[in-house]
Amino acid sequence: MSELIVAVVSALVGAVLAAAIVYMALRRRAEATPESPGHPAEDVRLLMDVLRPGAILVGPHDEILLANGASETMGMVRRTRVAIPALLELIRESRQDGELSSVNLDLKRGRGKPTLQLAARVQPLSDGRVFVVADDRAQLLRAQESSRDFMTNATHELKTPVGAIALLAEATEGAADDPEAVTRFAGKIRAETQRLTDLVSQIIMLSRLQGESPLASAQRIEVAEFVSLALDRCRQLAESRKVSLTQSLRDGLYVLGDRDQLSTAVANLIMNAISYSDERARVVVSSRTVVEDEQRFVDVAVSDNGIGIAAEDQQRIFERFFRADHARSRETGGTGLGLSIVSEIAEGHDGSIHLWSKLGSGSTFTLRLPAAEPPDDDLEGE
Ligand code: ADP
């Protein structure tokens, strides 16, 4: 929800700022003498081009003075005129009232094209000029919908262990004179509490991942280092399930990013590989470099010979709370959030996550990250 509020507030602040910038540049142009340096009109055009929303500057006779590329893509302008009658009406009203106004417009486009949902803000300037900035609300609505779905699912997921704990506590009270039953119920309460703790910490992690970019404070990290950290976190689980963990890591591969996040992503993949395989299975973690479209990447692959994932579930397993096998996920204490955390971390590092899987044969998850140059002393050592 807070993401939504931030998005709306920043869109409004953006609109007012953009209007202020355009206004100031226009004033500078009015004050500029022919000899004064700079080209304010050119500056305004450049400023409008860097704005992501559609932006147009309309003259006193409704003529388009300037329009950025986005406004043309959105169909706000046709040659030198405003192409949307409802928007033109608002421009005229605003010019007359001298006040900032806004409107939401749902506009049907050509056959087969989705409806355009414009959120437009109109700011009158001096001399009858008007500045218009408009976002396509469809994107905002999608974010709203996904945030609503997340809240519904998270509430449901949190209620399950909380309800179980309440029932178990009641059962414990009722079995006060049966020590064996009390011990059994206490064990179950502990398991449900652990489930609740895991859920809460993963929900917090997801919301943190959405708030901050790991590349803003990125460090150069050796791939073998964060993969080893991940392997260390999974050894106990592997031992308890008698799964063999093998690594085949190349030295001297580097990426830019956040060490903790990257080791969490790889650990989530390894833990799944262990959990969704039978006892005595084999899990292999490997790394290599690949070149795609002339860019160098590092691939970290986690392969198992476990239960595999059906083709129809392969896209959906990255969705929050989606589980292909509910019973098994519950048995292993899964939250359904592990892979969405991995894909969020991959995206935050300008990377991606790929899956190959065959039901009954096993799966390979590959985390692809842009490769970084090795530090100078590594190069010297070669
Ligand atoms: P969970 O906490 O349930 O493991 P994840 O987001 O980590 O949630 O994974 C989502 C679902 O994807 C799991 O419930 C499981 O059905 C499937 N899955 C993930 N990794 C594997 C794997 N290595 N092999 C088979 N199925 C997997």
Side-chain angles (χ1 to χ4, degrees), residues 25-41:
L26 284 170
R27 274 195 58 171
R28 267 185 59 203
R29 185 172 71 164
E31 286 161 6
T33 60
E35 307 84 57
S36 64
H39 302 277

Side-chain angles (χ1 to χ4, degrees), residues 272 276 304 308-309 317 322-325 329 334-336 338-339 363 365:
N272 278 349
Y276 298 104
D304 63 65
I309 301 160
I317 56 166
F322 181 84
R323 290 133 169 142
D325 182 342
S329 171
T335 59
L339 288 178
S363 313
F365 285 85

